[in-house]
Amino acid sequence: MAGLWSGLAVGGGLFFWWAVLRVRLQVGPDGIVAVNPWGTHRLGLDEVASVGLGAWGAEFKHADGFKTTAYALSELASGTSQEGRFAELLAVLEVNSTRSPRDT
């Protein structure tokens, strides 16, 4: 019986890591990398038409109508409101969009 409970605890811990702790969002001059529980998405800064804060995190809308959600900015990932971190994301995107290719 102890082995069953130990297995369930290990399985629950791995699922928690996979679903919540693994998520991250990286924004830089090379583009955006969103690591979500279901996969990693890489976007160039020129691919992003707009960005907004949705129910599940930051939503990057592409010019072709698709969208990519970054769960790292969801309230579920941190337990708190992400408006401050979203404002930081917008500032970084604005700075990177105004740089010329010679600046990199």
Side-chain angles (χ1 to χ4, degrees), residues 4 23 27 43-44 56-57 70 73 82 84 96:
L4 174 68
V23 299
V27 180
L43 300 169
W56 295 100
L73 284 182
Q82 295 299 311
N96 284 327

Side-chain angles (χ1 to χ4, degrees), residues 10-42:
V10 168
L14 287 173
F15 179 77
F16 181 75
W17 169 82
W18 177 72
V20 178
L21 298 180
R22 181 176 173 259
V23 299
R24 71 177 187 273
L25 178 66
Q26 297 173 324
V27 180
D30 297 333
I32 300 165
V33 178
V35 178
N36 293 324
W38 309 112
T40 300
H41 305 280
R42 299 180 196 295

